[in-house]
Amino acid sequence: MNSQSPTYNFGLCGINCQKCFAFKDGSIRQNSEKLRIDLGNFDVYAKRFVELLDAPIFNKYQDFKEMLDYFASSNCLGCRKQECHLFKSCNVRVCYKTKSVDFCFQCNEFPCNHTGFDEHLEQRWMKINERMKEIGVENYYNEIKDKPRY
Ligand code: SF4
Ligand code: SF4
């Protein structure tokens, strides 16, 4: 697969790494980083706003900031370049090296029962690959590119 193709950011299982919170070049990390910068020294203001604006919601700012920092520090390059940072039990990346396919739906064993995924992920994997098989990878990309992954 051509590394310039946008579908290169699909995992071998077909999940869109581009929309993953852990993806370095993904919109979640980039938007989190931008928001983090835009918020600047908001810590100080959040404390003041609790009383000044009579708004206890600002007590939750530290938790929010912690989450935002976490999203902003994501650094996965996608599973075609390195090991997936999230799904440690994924077996697809091992198969990838031996099956000579770009995606599971192209494999003569699909749908196999040794992906290593939990039930929820396996359902998604099956649905995604069946759809790619039906309409083609490029059309599938156009179908989902602007949709959230979650
Ligand atoms: S953590 Fe996994 S799903 Fe997320 S971008 Fe990395 S390889 Fe893709
Ligand atoms: S054997 Fe299963 S996990 Fe491996 S490439 Fe084929 S369909 Fe995917």
Tab-separated table of all heavy atoms in Angstrom, residues 94-119:
chain	number	residue	atom	x	y	z
A	94	VAL	N	0.493	-9.434	13.407
A	94	VAL	CA	1.376	-10.585	13.186
A	94	VAL	C	1.009	-11.233	11.847
A	94	VAL	O	1.880	-11.522	11.026
A	94	VAL	CB	1.236	-11.614	14.335
A	94	VAL	CG1	2.155	-12.797	14.112
A	94	VAL	CG2	1.528	-10.943	15.676
A	95	CYS	N	-0.311	-11.384	11.631
A	95	CYS	CA	-0.786	-11.969	10.374
A	95	CYS	C	-0.355	-11.142	9.176
A	95	CYS	O	-0.007	-11.673	8.131
A	95	CYS	CB	-2.308	-12.031	10.356
A	95	CYS	SG	-2.960	-13.200	11.512
A	96	TYR	N	-0.403	-9.833	9.349
A	96	TYR	CA	-0.065	-8.888	8.284
A	96	TYR	C	1.248	-9.278	7.597
A	96	TYR	O	1.386	-9.200	6.382
A	96	TYR	CB	0.033	-7.503	8.925
A	96	TYR	CG	0.445	-6.378	8.033
A	96	TYR	CD1	-0.303	-6.032	6.919
A	96	TYR	CD2	1.594	-5.657	8.312
A	96	TYR	CE1	0.061	-4.972	6.102
A	96	TYR	CE2	1.967	-4.597	7.505
A	96	TYR	CZ	1.200	-4.262	6.411
A	96	TYR	OH	1.573	-3.222	5.614
A	97	LYS	N	2.179	-9.713	8.410
A	97	LYS	CA	3.495	-10.039	7.853
A	97	LYS	C	3.483	-11.342	7.073
A	97	LYS	O	4.313	-11.563	6.212
A	97	LYS	CB	4.523	-10.096	8.979
A	97	LYS	CG	4.773	-8.721	9.574
A	97	LYS	CD	5.736	-8.789	10.739
A	97	LYS	CE	5.862	-7.398	11.348
A	97	LYS	NZ	5.931	-7.387	12.778
A	98	THR	N	2.565	-12.219	7.356
A	98	THR	CA	2.590	-13.531	6.712
A	98	THR	C	1.540	-13.704	5.613
A	98	THR	O	1.684	-14.558	4.765
A	98	THR	CB	2.364	-14.639	7.757
A	98	THR	OG1	1.086	-14.418	8.371
A	98	THR	CG2	3.439	-14.632	8.827
A	99	LYS	N	0.501	-12.877	5.640
A	99	LYS	CA	-0.621	-13.086	4.705
A	99	LYS	C	-0.544	-12.272	3.421
A	99	LYS	O	-1.327	-12.495	2.490
A	99	LYS	CB	-1.947	-12.761	5.408
A	99	LYS	CG	-2.294	-13.706	6.524
A	99	LYS	CD	-2.844	-14.991	5.945
A	99	LYS	CE	-3.237	-15.951	7.038
A	99	LYS	NZ	-3.717	-17.217	6.493
A	100	SER	N	0.361	-11.319	3.362
A	100	SER	CA	0.503	-10.459	2.183
A	100	SER	C	-0.814	-9.790	1.779
A	100	SER	O	-1.211	-9.805	0.608
A	100	SER	CB	1.028	-11.252	0.983
A	100	SER	OG	2.261	-11.811	1.292
A	101	VAL	N	-1.514	-9.248	2.760
A	101	VAL	CA	-2.741	-8.494	2.468
A	101	VAL	C	-2.621	-7.119	3.123
A	101	VAL	O	-1.869	-6.939	4.076
A	101	VAL	CB	-4.005	-9.207	3.017
A	101	VAL	CG1	-4.274	-10.495	2.259
A	101	VAL	CG2	-3.906	-9.468	4.519
A	102	ASP	N	-3.388	-6.162	2.598
A	102	ASP	CA	-3.416	-4.829	3.211
A	102	ASP	C	-4.471	-4.750	4.309
A	102	ASP	O	-4.347	-3.964	5.245
A	102	ASP	CB	-3.712	-3.761	2.157
A	102	ASP	CG	-2.488	-3.439	1.322
A	102	ASP	OD1	-1.371	-3.534	1.855
A	102	ASP	OD2	-2.652	-3.106	0.137
A	103	PHE	N	-5.533	-5.535	4.125
A	103	PHE	CA	-6.632	-5.545	5.101
A	103	PHE	C	-7.145	-6.972	5.272
A	103	PHE	O	-7.022	-7.799	4.363
A	103	PHE	CB	-7.786	-4.661	4.615
A	103	PHE	CG	-7.429	-3.210	4.488
A	103	PHE	CD1	-7.150	-2.667	3.239
A	103	PHE	CD2	-7.342	-2.402	5.603
A	103	PHE	CE1	-6.790	-1.336	3.112
A	103	PHE	CE2	-6.986	-1.064	5.495
A	103	PHE	CZ	-6.710	-0.532	4.251
A	104	CYS	N	-7.762	-7.191	6.415
A	104	CYS	CA	-8.261	-8.539	6.719
A	104	CYS	C	-9.254	-9.068	5.692
A	104	CYS	O	-9.256	-10.259	5.386
A	104	CYS	CB	-8.892	-8.564	8.106
A	104	CYS	SG	-7.670	-8.581	9.430
A	105	PHE	N	-10.104	-8.201	5.133
A	105	PHE	CA	-11.126	-8.709	4.218
A	105	PHE	C	-10.511	-9.345	2.963
A	105	PHE	O	-11.148	-10.115	2.258
A	105	PHE	CB	-12.138	-7.602	3.846
A	105	PHE	CG	-11.642	-6.626	2.807
A	105	PHE	CD1	-11.777	-6.894	1.448
A	105	PHE	CD2	-11.045	-5.434	3.187
A	105	PHE	CE1	-11.324	-5.989	0.489
A	105	PHE	CE2	-10.594	-4.525	2.248
A	105	PHE	CZ	-10.727	-4.807	0.891
A	106	GLN	N	-9.238	-9.006	2.690
A	106	GLN	CA	-8.557	-9.570	1.513
A	106	GLN	C	-7.936	-10.940	1.813
A	106	GLN	O	-7.393	-11.590	0.927
A	106	GLN	CB	-7.458	-8.609	1.048
A	106	GLN	CG	-7.996	-7.256	0.594
A	106	GLN	CD	-6.937	-6.161	0.593
A	106	GLN	OE1	-5.962	-6.225	1.333
A	106	GLN	NE2	-7.149	-5.153	-0.233
A	107	CYS	N	-8.035	-11.345	3.051
A	107	CYS	CA	-7.390	-12.584	3.487
A	107	CYS	C	-8.323	-13.773	3.274
A	107	CYS	O	-9.525	-13.667	3.500
A	107	CYS	CB	-7.032	-12.435	4.969
A	107	CYS	SG	-6.484	-13.946	5.751
A	108	ASN	N	-7.742	-14.901	2.847
A	108	ASN	CA	-8.595	-16.075	2.579
A	108	ASN	C	-9.146	-16.704	3.865
A	108	ASN	O	-10.003	-17.560	3.813
A	108	ASN	CB	-7.854	-17.115	1.730
A	108	ASN	CG	-6.553	-17.559	2.373
A	108	ASN	OD1	-6.291	-17.207	3.537
A	108	ASN	ND2	-5.728	-18.281	1.642
A	109	GLU	N	-8.684	-16.248	4.999
A	109	GLU	CA	-9.210	-16.777	6.270
A	109	GLU	C	-10.286	-15.884	6.883
A	109	GLU	O	-10.853	-16.205	7.920
A	109	GLU	CB	-8.079	-16.937	7.291
A	109	GLU	CG	-7.248	-18.176	7.084
A	109	GLU	CD	-6.383	-18.431	8.311
A	109	GLU	OE1	-6.927	-18.587	9.417
A	109	GLU	OE2	-5.153	-18.435	8.134
A	110	PHE	N	-10.518	-14.719	6.271
A	110	PHE	CA	-11.501	-13.775	6.850
A	110	PHE	C	-12.910	-14.340	6.769
A	110	PHE	O	-13.292	-14.836	5.722
A	110	PHE	CB	-11.443	-12.430	6.131
A	110	PHE	CG	-12.475	-11.443	6.644
A	110	PHE	CD1	-12.278	-10.773	7.833
A	110	PHE	CD2	-13.661	-11.223	5.935
A	110	PHE	CE1	-13.231	-9.874	8.319
A	110	PHE	CE2	-14.622	-10.336	6.418
A	110	PHE	CZ	-14.407	-9.669	7.603
A	111	PRO	N	-13.729	-14.271	7.797
A	111	PRO	CA	-13.418	-13.759	9.126
A	111	PRO	C	-12.884	-14.866	10.028
A	111	PRO	O	-13.574	-15.832	10.295
A	111	PRO	CB	-14.791	-13.293	9.637
A	111	PRO	CG	-15.778	-14.194	8.930
A	111	PRO	CD	-15.140	-14.681	7.669
A	112	CYS	N	-11.670	-14.709	10.460
A	112	CYS	CA	-11.047	-15.744	11.290
A	112	CYS	C	-11.425	-15.527	12.758
A	112	CYS	O	-12.083	-14.543	13.089
A	112	CYS	CB	-9.525	-15.675	11.136
A	112	CYS	SG	-8.824	-14.239	11.965
A	113	ASN	N	-10.996	-16.415	13.612
A	113	ASN	CA	-11.360	-16.260	15.036
A	113	ASN	C	-10.123	-16.065	15.910
A	113	ASN	O	-10.135	-16.404	17.080
A	113	ASN	CB	-12.180	-17.454	15.520
A	113	ASN	CG	-11.406	-18.748	15.393
A	113	ASN	OD1	-10.234	-18.728	14.988
A	113	ASN	ND2	-12.021	-19.862	15.717
A	114	HIS	N	-9.055	-15.527	15.312
A	114	HIS	CA	-7.879	-15.313	16.154
A	114	HIS	C	-7.313	-13.895	16.051
A	114	HIS	O	-6.105	-13.689	16.038
A	114	HIS	CB	-6.792	-16.362	15.870
A	114	HIS	CG	-6.535	-16.582	14.412
A	114	HIS	ND1	-7.178	-17.553	13.685
A	114	HIS	CD2	-5.706	-15.965	13.552
A	114	HIS	CE1	-6.743	-17.520	12.443
A	114	HIS	NE2	-5.856	-16.560	12.333
A	115	THR	N	-8.207	-12.925	15.986
A	115	THR	CA	-7.752	-11.524	15.974
A	115	THR	C	-7.192	-11.100	17.334
A	115	THR	O	-6.364	-10.198	17.411
A	115	THR	CB	-8.926	-10.575	15.645
A	115	THR	OG1	-9.966	-10.817	16.596
A	115	THR	CG2	-9.433	-10.783	14.235
A	116	GLY	N	-7.705	-11.734	18.396
A	116	GLY	CA	-7.300	-11.311	19.741
A	116	GLY	C	-8.165	-10.170	20.253
A	116	GLY	O	-7.909	-9.623	21.329
A	117	PHE	N	-9.200	-9.771	19.495
A	117	PHE	CA	-10.058	-8.654	19.904
A	117	PHE	C	-11.122	-9.112	20.892
A	117	PHE	O	-11.527	-10.276	20.881
A	117	PHE	CB	-10.775	-8.051	18.683
A	117	PHE	CG	-9.859	-7.453	17.659
A	117	PHE	CD1	-10.241	-7.363	16.328
A	117	PHE	CD2	-8.615	-6.960	18.022
A	117	PHE	CE1	-9.409	-6.805	15.374
A	117	PHE	CE2	-7.768	-6.392	17.081
A	117	PHE	CZ	-8.162	-6.316	15.748
A	118	ASP	N	-11.610	-8.160	21.693
A	118	ASP	CA	-12.767	-8.477	22.529
A	118	ASP	C	-14.012	-8.455	21.624
A	118	ASP	O	-13.926	-8.122	20.434
A	118	ASP	CB	-12.875	-7.518	23.716
A	118	ASP	CG	-13.215	-6.086	23.320
A	118	ASP	OD1	-13.517	-5.816	22.137
A	118	ASP	OD2	-13.180	-5.219	24.205
A	119	GLU	N	-15.156	-8.798	22.223
A	119	GLU	CA	-16.349	-8.969	21.408
A	119	GLU	C	-16.748	-7.683	20.666
A	119	GLU	O	-17.084	-7.711	19.476
A	119	GLU	CB	-17.494	-9.418	22.328
A	119	GLU	CG	-18.595	-10.127	21.585
A	119	GLU	CD	-19.732	-10.481	22.532
A	119	GLU	OE1	-19.463	-10.871	23.677
A	119	GLU	OE2	-20.892	-10.324	22.100
